[in-house]
mmCIF file of all heavy atoms in Angstrom:
data_model
loop_
_atom_site.group_PDB
_atom_site.id
_atom_site.type_symbol
_atom_site.label_atom_id
_atom_site.label_comp_id
_atom_site.label_asym_id
_atom_site.label_seq_id
_atom_site.Cartn_x
_atom_site.Cartn_y
_atom_site.Cartn_z
ATOM 1 N N HIS A 6 22.808 -22.736 48.784
ATOM 2 C CA HIS A 6 22.802 -21.565 47.905
ATOM 3 C C HIS A 6 22.674 -22.053 46.472
ATOM 4 O O HIS A 6 23.549 -22.763 45.959
ATOM 5 C CB HIS A 6 24.099 -20.779 48.100
ATOM 6 C CG HIS A 6 24.347 -20.319 49.504
ATOM 7 N ND1 HIS A 6 23.641 -19.311 50.114
ATOM 8 C CD2 HIS A 6 25.192 -20.786 50.469
ATOM 9 C CE1 HIS A 6 24.059 -19.153 51.332
ATOM 10 N NE2 HIS A 6 24.992 -20.048 51.584
ATOM 11 N N ARG A 7 21.597 -21.649 45.817
ATOM 12 C CA ARG A 7 21.313 -22.128 44.478
ATOM 13 C C ARG A 7 20.913 -20.945 43.572
ATOM 14 O O ARG A 7 20.912 -19.788 43.979
ATOM 15 C CB ARG A 7 20.176 -23.140 44.515
ATOM 16 C CG ARG A 7 20.401 -24.352 45.433
ATOM 17 C CD ARG A 7 21.488 -25.280 44.881
ATOM 18 N NE ARG A 7 21.050 -25.944 43.641
ATOM 19 C CZ ARG A 7 20.412 -27.110 43.608
ATOM 20 N NH1 ARG A 7 20.094 -27.747 44.743
ATOM 21 N NH2 ARG A 7 20.078 -27.655 42.459
ATOM 22 N N ILE A 8 20.561 -21.282 42.337
ATOM 23 C CA ILE A 8 19.993 -20.322 41.396
ATOM 24 C C ILE A 8 18.503 -20.597 41.296
ATOM 25 O O ILE A 8 18.069 -21.726 41.372
ATOM 26 C CB ILE A 8 20.660 -20.443 39.990
ATOM 27 C CG1 ILE A 8 22.152 -20.238 40.121
ATOM 28 C CG2 ILE A 8 20.052 -19.456 39.006
ATOM 29 C CD1 ILE A 8 22.571 -18.881 40.656
ATOM 30 N N PHE A 9 17.700 -19.568 41.126
ATOM 31 C CA PHE A 9 16.269 -19.724 41.244
ATOM 32 C C PHE A 9 15.698 -20.749 40.265
ATOM 33 O O PHE A 9 14.755 -21.496 40.608
ATOM 34 C CB PHE A 9 15.520 -18.374 41.049
ATOM 35 C CG PHE A 9 14.082 -18.433 41.503
ATOM 36 C CD1 PHE A 9 13.743 -18.183 42.816
ATOM 37 C CD2 PHE A 9 13.092 -18.753 40.615
ATOM 38 C CE1 PHE A 9 12.440 -18.267 43.259
ATOM 39 C CE2 PHE A 9 11.773 -18.831 41.041
ATOM 40 C CZ PHE A 9 11.430 -18.574 42.361
ATOM 41 N N ARG A 10 16.258 -20.834 39.076
ATOM 42 C CA ARG A 10 15.702 -21.765 38.083
ATOM 43 C C ARG A 10 15.839 -23.222 38.558
ATOM 44 O O ARG A 10 15.225 -24.124 37.988
ATOM 45 C CB ARG A 10 16.391 -21.593 36.739
ATOM 46 C CG ARG A 10 17.846 -21.949 36.682
ATOM 47 C CD ARG A 10 18.378 -21.877 35.251
ATOM 48 N NE ARG A 10 18.275 -20.536 34.734
ATOM 49 C CZ ARG A 10 19.288 -19.667 34.745
ATOM 50 N NH1 ARG A 10 20.480 -19.991 35.266
ATOM 51 N NH2 ARG A 10 19.135 -18.453 34.245
ATOM 52 N N GLU A 11 16.620 -23.467 39.627
ATOM 53 C CA GLU A 11 16.801 -24.812 40.149
ATOM 54 C C GLU A 11 15.818 -25.127 41.276
ATOM 55 O O GLU A 11 15.920 -26.190 41.901
ATOM 56 C CB GLU A 11 18.231 -24.963 40.685
ATOM 57 C CG GLU A 11 19.302 -24.705 39.626
ATOM 58 C CD GLU A 11 20.700 -24.568 40.224
ATOM 59 O OE1 GLU A 11 20.828 -24.281 41.439
ATOM 60 O OE2 GLU A 11 21.676 -24.710 39.450
ATOM 61 N N ILE A 12 14.840 -24.261 41.508
ATOM 62 C CA ILE A 12 13.940 -24.420 42.627
ATOM 63 C C ILE A 12 13.138 -25.713 42.550
ATOM 64 O O ILE A 12 12.774 -26.315 43.558
ATOM 65 C CB ILE A 12 12.988 -23.190 42.737
ATOM 66 C CG1 ILE A 12 12.312 -23.189 44.122
ATOM 67 C CG2 ILE A 12 11.980 -23.164 41.626
ATOM 68 C CD1 ILE A 12 11.549 -21.892 44.393
ATOM 69 N N GLY A 13 12.929 -26.197 41.329
ATOM 70 C CA GLY A 13 12.150 -27.420 41.128
ATOM 71 C C GLY A 13 12.830 -28.623 41.771
ATOM 72 O O GLY A 13 12.163 -29.669 42.025
ATOM 73 N N ASP A 14 14.131 -28.573 42.051
ATOM 74 C CA ASP A 14 14.835 -29.678 42.693
ATOM 75 C C ASP A 14 14.279 -29.930 44.079
ATOM 76 O O ASP A 14 14.502 -31.036 44.657
ATOM 77 C CB ASP A 14 16.332 -29.375 42.791
ATOM 78 C CG ASP A 14 17.011 -29.342 41.448
ATOM 79 O OD1 ASP A 14 16.394 -29.723 40.448
ATOM 80 O OD2 ASP A 14 18.201 -28.897 41.382
ATOM 81 N N TYR A 15 13.577 -28.966 44.652
ATOM 82 C CA TYR A 15 13.095 -29.106 46.033
ATOM 83 C C TYR A 15 11.596 -29.381 46.070
ATOM 84 O O TYR A 15 11.024 -29.468 47.172
ATOM 85 C CB TYR A 15 13.437 -27.841 46.817
ATOM 86 C CG TYR A 15 14.899 -27.580 46.899
ATOM 87 C CD1 TYR A 15 15.543 -26.804 45.947
ATOM 88 C CD2 TYR A 15 15.664 -28.189 47.897
ATOM 89 C CE1 TYR A 15 16.908 -26.591 45.989
ATOM 90 C CE2 TYR A 15 17.029 -27.981 47.953
ATOM 91 C CZ TYR A 15 17.656 -27.188 47.013
ATOM 92 O OH TYR A 15 19.034 -27.031 47.069
ATOM 93 N N PHE A 16 10.967 -29.464 44.922
ATOM 94 C CA PHE A 16 9.540 -29.757 44.860
ATOM 95 C C PHE A 16 9.332 -31.247 44.518
ATOM 96 O O PHE A 16 10.158 -31.829 43.835
ATOM 97 C CB PHE A 16 8.829 -28.886 43.808
ATOM 98 C CG PHE A 16 8.862 -27.430 44.118
ATOM 99 C CD1 PHE A 16 8.575 -26.506 43.117
ATOM 100 C CD2 PHE A 16 9.201 -26.941 45.358
ATOM 101 C CE1 PHE A 16 8.598 -25.141 43.369
ATOM 102 C CE2 PHE A 16 9.245 -25.605 45.629
ATOM 103 C CZ PHE A 16 8.936 -24.693 44.658
ATOM 104 N N ARG A 17 8.219 -31.785 44.959
ATOM 105 C CA ARG A 17 7.900 -33.174 44.701
ATOM 106 C C ARG A 17 6.609 -33.275 43.898
ATOM 107 O O ARG A 17 5.771 -32.385 43.952
ATOM 108 C CB ARG A 17 7.736 -33.938 46.010
ATOM 109 C CG ARG A 17 8.961 -33.927 46.919
ATOM 110 C CD ARG A 17 8.801 -34.903 48.063
ATOM 111 N NE ARG A 17 7.750 -34.522 48.996
ATOM 112 C CZ ARG A 17 7.965 -33.984 50.192
ATOM 113 N NH1 ARG A 17 9.191 -33.708 50.572
ATOM 114 N NH2 ARG A 17 6.965 -33.696 50.973
ATOM 115 N N LYS A 18 6.491 -34.361 43.172
ATOM 116 C CA LYS A 18 5.221 -34.623 42.473
ATOM 117 C C LYS A 18 4.096 -34.658 43.485
ATOM 118 O O LYS A 18 4.208 -35.332 44.525
ATOM 119 C CB LYS A 18 5.311 -35.960 41.737
ATOM 120 C CG LYS A 18 4.091 -36.294 40.904
ATOM 121 C CD LYS A 18 4.264 -37.579 40.140
ATOM 122 C CE LYS A 18 3.018 -37.877 39.309
ATOM 123 N NZ LYS A 18 3.178 -39.175 38.536
ATOM 124 N N GLY A 19 3.021 -33.908 43.221
ATOM 125 C CA GLY A 19 1.923 -33.856 44.174
ATOM 126 C C GLY A 19 1.932 -32.611 45.027
ATOM 127 O O GLY A 19 0.948 -32.335 45.735
ATOM 128 N N ASP A 20 3.029 -31.845 44.993
ATOM 129 C CA ASP A 20 3.039 -30.559 45.694
ATOM 130 C C ASP A 20 2.175 -29.562 44.945
ATOM 131 O O ASP A 20 1.892 -29.730 43.737
ATOM 132 C CB ASP A 20 4.468 -30.015 45.799
ATOM 133 C CG ASP A 20 5.311 -30.740 46.832
ATOM 134 O OD1 ASP A 20 4.753 -31.423 47.682
ATOM 135 O OD2 ASP A 20 6.552 -30.582 46.792
ATOM 136 N N LEU A 21 1.773 -28.510 45.610
ATOM 137 C CA LEU A 21 0.948 -27.467 44.999
ATOM 138 C C LEU A 21 1.574 -26.102 45.211
ATOM 139 O O LEU A 21 1.851 -25.692 46.339
ATOM 140 C CB LEU A 21 -0.453 -27.453 45.609
ATOM 141 C CG LEU A 21 -1.431 -26.439 45.010
ATOM 142 C CD1 LEU A 21 -1.847 -26.812 43.600
ATOM 143 C CD2 LEU A 21 -2.689 -26.298 45.913
ATOM 144 N N LEU A 22 1.830 -25.391 44.118
ATOM 145 C CA LEU A 22 2.373 -24.023 44.169
ATOM 146 C C LEU A 22 1.212 -23.063 44.070
ATOM 147 O O LEU A 22 0.429 -23.095 43.139
ATOM 148 C CB LEU A 22 3.330 -23.831 43.005
ATOM 149 C CG LEU A 22 4.316 -22.685 43.067
ATOM 150 C CD1 LEU A 22 5.349 -22.907 44.180
ATOM 151 C CD2 LEU A 22 5.022 -22.514 41.734
ATOM 152 N N VAL A 23 1.094 -22.159 45.043
ATOM 153 C CA VAL A 23 0.002 -21.180 45.080
ATOM 154 C C VAL A 23 0.597 -19.803 44.778
ATOM 155 O O VAL A 23 1.469 -19.327 45.491
ATOM 156 C CB VAL A 23 -0.712 -21.176 46.443
ATOM 157 C CG1 VAL A 23 -1.857 -20.153 46.429
ATOM 158 C CG2 VAL A 23 -1.252 -22.557 46.771
ATOM 159 N N VAL A 24 0.101 -19.181 43.702
ATOM 160 C CA VAL A 24 0.632 -17.882 43.258
ATOM 161 C C VAL A 24 -0.450 -16.815 43.291
ATOM 162 O O VAL A 24 -1.615 -17.109 43.121
ATOM 163 C CB VAL A 24 1.239 -18.001 41.841
ATOM 164 C CG1 VAL A 24 2.304 -19.031 41.792
ATOM 165 C CG2 VAL A 24 0.151 -18.297 40.787
ATOM 166 N N ASN A 25 -0.010 -15.604 43.514
ATOM 167 C CA ASN A 25 -0.928 -14.436 43.531
ATOM 168 C C ASN A 25 -0.920 -13.787 42.167
ATOM 169 O O ASN A 25 0.067 -13.231 41.706
ATOM 170 C CB ASN A 25 -0.471 -13.423 44.612
ATOM 171 C CG ASN A 25 -1.383 -12.203 44.683
ATOM 172 O OD1 ASN A 25 -2.445 -12.145 44.070
ATOM 173 N ND2 ASN A 25 -0.953 -11.219 45.468
ATOM 174 N N GLN A 26 -2.085 -13.852 41.470
ATOM 175 C CA GLN A 26 -2.145 -13.382 40.096
ATOM 176 C C GLN A 26 -2.540 -11.903 39.962
ATOM 177 O O GLN A 26 -2.898 -11.448 38.889
ATOM 178 C CB GLN A 26 -3.151 -14.232 39.306
ATOM 179 C CG GLN A 26 -4.587 -14.132 39.789
ATOM 180 C CD GLN A 26 -5.530 -15.004 39.022
ATOM 181 O OE1 GLN A 26 -5.147 -15.703 38.076
ATOM 182 N NE2 GLN A 26 -6.813 -14.948 39.366
ATOM 183 N N THR A 27 -2.439 -11.156 41.026
ATOM 184 C CA THR A 27 -2.750 -9.735 40.965
ATOM 185 C C THR A 27 -1.811 -9.029 39.991
ATOM 186 O O THR A 27 -0.682 -9.417 39.783
ATOM 187 C CB THR A 27 -2.663 -9.057 42.339
ATOM 188 O OG1 THR A 27 -3.164 -7.729 42.265
ATOM 189 C CG2 THR A 27 -1.215 -9.007 42.855
ATOM 190 N N ARG A 28 -2.340 -7.951 39.386
ATOM 191 C CA ARG A 28 -1.564 -7.135 38.451
ATOM 192 C C ARG A 28 -1.496 -5.706 38.970
ATOM 193 O O ARG A 28 -2.485 -5.148 39.415
ATOM 194 C CB ARG A 28 -2.188 -7.143 37.065
ATOM 195 C CG ARG A 28 -1.379 -6.421 36.010
ATOM 196 C CD ARG A 28 -1.938 -6.634 34.592
ATOM 197 N NE ARG A 28 -1.180 -5.863 33.626
ATOM 198 C CZ ARG A 28 -0.028 -6.248 33.088
ATOM 199 N NH1 ARG A 28 0.478 -7.427 33.416
ATOM 200 N NH2 ARG A 28 0.604 -5.506 32.226
ATOM 201 N N VAL A 29 -0.286 -5.107 38.927
ATOM 202 C CA VAL A 29 -0.072 -3.763 39.437
ATOM 203 C C VAL A 29 -0.667 -2.734 38.483
ATOM 204 O O VAL A 29 -0.495 -2.818 37.244
ATOM 205 C CB VAL A 29 1.426 -3.486 39.611
ATOM 206 C CG1 VAL A 29 1.630 -2.113 40.287
ATOM 207 C CG2 VAL A 29 2.097 -4.569 40.449
ATOM 208 N N ILE A 30 -1.375 -1.777 39.041
ATOM 209 C CA ILE A 30 -1.942 -0.684 38.241
ATOM 210 C C ILE A 30 -0.934 0.478 38.200
ATOM 211 O O ILE A 30 -0.125 0.632 39.127
ATOM 212 C CB ILE A 30 -3.271 -0.178 38.777
ATOM 213 C CG1 ILE A 30 -3.113 0.348 40.234
ATOM 214 C CG2 ILE A 30 -4.323 -1.266 38.741
ATOM 215 C CD1 ILE A 30 -4.370 0.991 40.799
ATOM 216 N N PRO A 31 -0.928 1.265 37.131
ATOM 217 C CA PRO A 31 -0.091 2.474 37.099
ATOM 218 C C PRO A 31 -0.697 3.543 38.018
ATOM 219 O O PRO A 31 -1.354 4.483 37.593
ATOM 220 C CB PRO A 31 -0.125 2.897 35.637
ATOM 221 C CG PRO A 31 -1.416 2.356 35.113
ATOM 222 C CD PRO A 31 -1.679 1.080 35.871
ATOM 223 N N ALA A 32 -0.435 3.386 39.330
ATOM 224 C CA ALA A 32 -1.227 4.046 40.353
ATOM 225 C C ALA A 32 -0.736 5.461 40.706
ATOM 226 O O ALA A 32 -1.422 6.185 41.420
ATOM 227 C CB ALA A 32 -1.229 3.194 41.633
ATOM 228 N N ARG A 33 0.437 5.859 40.210
ATOM 229 C CA ARG A 33 0.989 7.149 40.546
ATOM 230 C C ARG A 33 0.515 8.190 39.543
ATOM 231 O O ARG A 33 0.832 8.102 38.349
ATOM 232 C CB ARG A 33 2.519 7.121 40.595
ATOM 233 C CG ARG A 33 3.140 8.343 41.262
ATOM 234 C CD ARG A 33 4.655 8.240 41.298
ATOM 235 N NE ARG A 33 5.092 7.043 41.993
ATOM 236 C CZ ARG A 33 5.223 6.925 43.302
ATOM 237 N NH1 ARG A 33 4.869 7.940 44.091
ATOM 238 N NH2 ARG A 33 5.627 5.795 43.841
ATOM 239 N N LEU A 34 -0.273 9.202 40.012
ATOM 240 C CA LEU A 34 -0.883 10.186 39.134
ATOM 241 C C LEU A 34 -0.332 11.577 39.436
ATOM 242 O O LEU A 34 -0.349 11.999 40.605
ATOM 243 C CB LEU A 34 -2.415 10.183 39.324
ATOM 244 C CG LEU A 34 -3.154 8.885 39.021
ATOM 245 C CD1 LEU A 34 -4.607 8.990 39.484
ATOM 246 C CD2 LEU A 34 -3.092 8.558 37.534
ATOM 247 N N ASN A 35 0.104 12.288 38.415
ATOM 248 C CA ASN A 35 0.438 13.679 38.539
ATOM 249 C C ASN A 35 -0.846 14.498 38.405
ATOM 250 O O ASN A 35 -1.569 14.376 37.407
ATOM 251 C CB ASN A 35 1.445 14.088 37.468
ATOM 252 C CG ASN A 35 2.790 13.395 37.666
ATOM 253 O OD1 ASN A 35 3.322 13.350 38.791
ATOM 254 N ND2 ASN A 35 3.375 12.857 36.590
ATOM 255 N N ALA A 36 -1.144 15.313 39.407
ATOM 256 C CA ALA A 36 -2.425 16.020 39.451
ATOM 257 C C ALA A 36 -2.191 17.467 39.803
ATOM 258 O O ALA A 36 -1.078 17.895 40.109
ATOM 259 C CB ALA A 36 -3.339 15.346 40.469
ATOM 260 N N VAL A 37 -3.271 18.221 39.794
ATOM 261 C CA VAL A 37 -3.230 19.647 40.155
ATOM 262 C C VAL A 37 -4.417 19.969 41.065
ATOM 263 O O VAL A 37 -5.456 19.293 41.050
ATOM 264 C CB VAL A 37 -3.282 20.566 38.925
ATOM 265 C CG1 VAL A 37 -2.035 20.362 38.057
ATOM 266 C CG2 VAL A 37 -4.544 20.297 38.092
ATOM 267 N N LYS A 38 -4.243 21.005 41.886
ATOM 268 C CA LYS A 38 -5.355 21.555 42.632
ATOM 269 C C LYS A 38 -6.222 22.379 41.699
ATOM 270 O O LYS A 38 -5.728 23.051 40.803
ATOM 271 C CB LYS A 38 -4.861 22.441 43.794
ATOM 272 C CG LYS A 38 -3.969 21.718 44.787
ATOM 273 C CD LYS A 38 -3.461 22.708 45.845
ATOM 274 C CE LYS A 38 -2.478 22.045 46.785
ATOM 275 N NZ LYS A 38 -1.906 23.023 47.768
ATOM 276 N N VAL A 39 -7.524 22.299 41.910
ATOM 277 C CA VAL A 39 -8.439 23.090 41.111
ATOM 278 C C VAL A 39 -9.124 24.128 42.048
ATOM 279 O O VAL A 39 -9.598 23.766 43.099
ATOM 280 C CB VAL A 39 -9.518 22.172 40.463
ATOM 281 C CG1 VAL A 39 -10.554 23.002 39.687
ATOM 282 C CG2 VAL A 39 -8.853 21.151 39.547
ATOM 283 N N PRO A 40 -9.066 25.443 41.696
ATOM 284 C CA PRO A 40 -8.695 25.992 40.388
ATOM 285 C C PRO A 40 -7.273 26.550 40.342
ATOM 286 O O PRO A 40 -6.881 27.129 39.342
ATOM 287 C CB PRO A 40 -9.690 27.128 40.237
ATOM 288 C CG PRO A 40 -9.839 27.658 41.630
ATOM 289 C CD PRO A 40 -9.766 26.440 42.513
ATOM 290 N N THR A 41 -6.444 26.431 41.412
ATOM 291 C CA THR A 41 -5.208 27.138 41.488
ATOM 292 C C THR A 41 -4.130 26.594 40.559
ATOM 293 O O THR A 41 -3.208 27.292 40.155
ATOM 294 C CB THR A 41 -4.645 27.108 42.915
ATOM 295 O OG1 THR A 41 -4.377 25.769 43.297
ATOM 296 C CG2 THR A 41 -5.642 27.746 43.904
ATOM 297 N N GLY A 42 -4.209 25.304 40.238
ATOM 298 C CA GLY A 42 -3.202 24.675 39.366
ATOM 299 C C GLY A 42 -1.974 24.192 40.101
ATOM 300 O O GLY A 42 -1.021 23.754 39.439
ATOM 301 N N GLY A 43 -1.937 24.288 41.425
ATOM 302 C CA GLY A 43 -0.775 23.811 42.178
ATOM 303 C C GLY A 43 -0.567 22.316 41.984
ATOM 304 O O GLY A 43 -1.518 21.528 42.043
ATOM 305 N N LYS A 44 0.676 21.905 41.768
ATOM 306 C CA LYS A 44 0.971 20.518 41.482
ATOM 307 C C LYS A 44 0.912 19.637 42.721
ATOM 308 O O LYS A 44 1.420 20.012 43.798
ATOM 309 C CB LYS A 44 2.344 20.375 40.815
ATOM 310 C CG LYS A 44 2.399 21.029 39.430
ATOM 311 C CD LYS A 44 3.768 20.808 38.790
ATOM 312 C CE LYS A 44 3.795 21.421 37.383
ATOM 313 N NZ LYS A 44 5.106 21.212 36.725
ATOM 314 N N ILE A 45 0.312 18.468 42.614
ATOM 315 C CA ILE A 45 0.205 17.498 43.698
ATOM 316 C C ILE A 45 0.431 16.104 43.079
ATOM 317 O O ILE A 45 0.472 15.942 41.860
ATOM 318 C CB ILE A 45 -1.144 17.546 44.431
ATOM 319 C CG1 ILE A 45 -2.280 17.236 43.451
ATOM 320 C CG2 ILE A 45 -1.347 18.886 45.088
ATOM 321 C CD1 ILE A 45 -3.630 17.045 44.145
ATOM 322 N N GLU A 46 0.515 15.119 43.961
ATOM 323 C CA GLU A 46 0.625 13.727 43.493
ATOM 324 C C GLU A 46 -0.439 12.892 44.192
ATOM 325 O O GLU A 46 -0.685 13.071 45.399
ATOM 326 C CB GLU A 46 2.030 13.170 43.782
ATOM 327 C CG GLU A 46 2.220 11.746 43.279
ATOM 328 C CD GLU A 46 3.629 11.255 43.498
ATOM 329 O OE1 GLU A 46 4.504 11.524 42.673
ATOM 330 O OE2 GLU A 46 3.858 10.555 44.517
ATOM 331 N N ILE A 47 -1.045 11.995 43.470
ATOM 332 C CA ILE A 47 -2.028 11.082 43.993
ATOM 333 C C ILE A 47 -1.534 9.665 43.744
ATOM 334 O O ILE A 47 -1.202 9.319 42.604
ATOM 335 C CB ILE A 47 -3.427 11.289 43.370
ATOM 336 C CG1 ILE A 47 -3.929 12.690 43.665
ATOM 337 C CG2 ILE A 47 -4.393 10.214 43.837
ATOM 338 C CD1 ILE A 47 -5.237 13.016 42.968
ATOM 339 N N LEU A 48 -1.465 8.854 44.789
ATOM 340 C CA LEU A 48 -1.079 7.466 44.669
ATOM 341 C C LEU A 48 -2.282 6.593 45.025
ATOM 342 O O LEU A 48 -2.670 6.510 46.190
ATOM 343 C CB LEU A 48 0.106 7.140 45.556
ATOM 344 C CG LEU A 48 0.671 5.699 45.467
ATOM 345 C CD1 LEU A 48 1.164 5.436 44.070
ATOM 346 C CD2 LEU A 48 1.784 5.505 46.475
#
């Protein structure tokens, strides 16, 4: 049981860390039906 900042204690020189560089979009949209104006949500 450790703290995350200590994770390097378990890595060795020559290891490779692979990270996912995707970025989250503000994907939740408040919308309306046309032409009635009824509220809906689009994700």
Side-chain angles (χ1 to χ4, degrees):
H6 303 286
R7 304 290 293 271
I8 302 300
F9 194 87
R10 67 174 62 97
E11 302 168 340
I12 195 170
D14 293 350
Y15 299 92
F16 296 164
R17 302 191 292 257
K18 184 177 181 179
D20 285 344
L21 181 70
L22 198 67
V23 181
V24 301
N25 180 8
Q26 64 181 0
T27 189
R28 184 172 178 83
V29 185
I30 61 174
R33 194 179 302 278
L34 300 170
N35 293 314
V37 296
K38 300 176 185 177
V39 177
T41 63
K44 293 183 178 180
I45 61 171
E46 183 177 275
I47 297 175
L48 183 61

